[in-house]
Amino acid sequence: MGEQACNPAMFLWTSILLLLSVPRISSVTIHTAPELSFGNGTLATLPCTFQSSSPVSPQTAVTWQYVPSGGNPDVLLYYSGGESYRGNIPQFKDRVSWAGNLDKGDASINIADMHFADNGTFRCSVVNPPDVASSPRDIKVHVVEQGSSPRASREVWVIVPALLGVVVLIIAIIVFVIYRKKKKDKMNYHGCSASENLMPHPVPLPRRLRPDTEKLVQAIRPGPQGPIIYAQLDHSGMSGANTVVRKDAVVYADIKTS
């Protein structure tokens, strides 16, 4: 009895039918921020978005978990069919609420009155049948003093030295300009030096009378008389800057008193 030959066309169609009969399984793509900081006592919004090839349905479900440092994950909030269900973590009692919109691919939550003890990892998971395969995404949360954050601290350490450098540069320029100006003024000054200013100025000695004037005074007869008046006559007229002025002394004497 002979063997039946294999029909290649029949084998190809059979393979295609088997592939089509396998249920299609797709995955949900989830996006979160890798790390966030919140001030102590503030309201924190943990963002989580997703993309799926299937439309959102009542079976779409979101699960948030809290993973403390060195601890095990525990359910923080579960949302499905328009209802949210809080987990049994005493630390977050009455502080967690739903803040997302599944129709827009938003699966975010709010945590009120953040505490320093809330530091840890928050995990977001989404399933949207038939897209049930997904990889959860984690957010590492830091609770800090209000008005500060690790990122702000790093920016301060960069900005402050830069500002100090600019201030020092401006001061150096101002000092250099003042120094150059004083040096230029000193070079252009042609007056007395400091030592010359400290030297005492000579006091002019009283002028002696000319010989002819002295003879005239001596020739005056003694006796009661009034004061003797001395004067000088200028023979040079209008003198210029370089003209030597000649002056003769004249004595008016013998002014007797009655």
Side-chain angles (χ1 to χ4, degrees), residues 53-85:
S53 59
S54 301
V56 174
S57 66
Q59 285 75 35
T60 304
V62 177
T63 303
W64 277 91
Q65 292 177 301
Y66 173 66
V67 187
S69 300
N72 297 321
D74 198 355
V75 175
L76 183 66
L77 183 140
Y78 178 82
Y79 183 89
S80 181
E83 298 290 338
S84 60
Y85 306 89

Side-chain angles (χ1 to χ4, degrees), residues 168-182:
V168 171
L169 179 61
I170 293 174
I171 294 175
I173 294 174
I174 294 174
V175 172
F176 177 76
V177 171
I178 294 175
Y179 170 77
R180 289 296 300 271
K181 185 177 185 302
K182 288 185 176 181

Side-chain angles (χ1 to χ4, degrees), residues 31-114:
H31 304 279
T32 59
E35 189 172 0
L36 292 174
S37 297
F38 301 100
N40 182 39
T42 62
L43 174 67
T45 299
L46 304 184
C48 179
T49 60
F50 65 93
Q51 294 175 337
S52 176
S53 59
S54 301
V56 174
S57 66
Q59 285 75 35
T60 304
V62 177
T63 303
W64 277 91
Q65 292 177 301
Y66 173 66
V67 187
S69 300
N72 297 321
D74 198 355
V75 175
L76 183 66
L77 183 140
Y78 178 82
Y79 183 89
S80 181
E83 298 290 338
S84 60
Y85 306 89
R86 295 188 181 93
N88 295 322
I89 306 178
Q91 176 181 344
F92 296 98
K93 183 179 180 180
D94 299 330
R95 292 198 293 131
V96 182
S97 60
W98 174 254
N101 187 338
L102 295 183
D103 293 332
K104 296 181 179 181
D106 187 1
S108 304
I109 61 172
N110 286 334
I111 302 178
D113 190 19
M114 291 292 290

Side-chain angles (χ1 to χ4, degrees), residues 150-163:
R151 179 178 179 181
S153 301
R154 291 192 296 267
E155 292 177 352
V156 168
W157 281 107
V158 174
I159 294 174
V160 170
L163 291 178

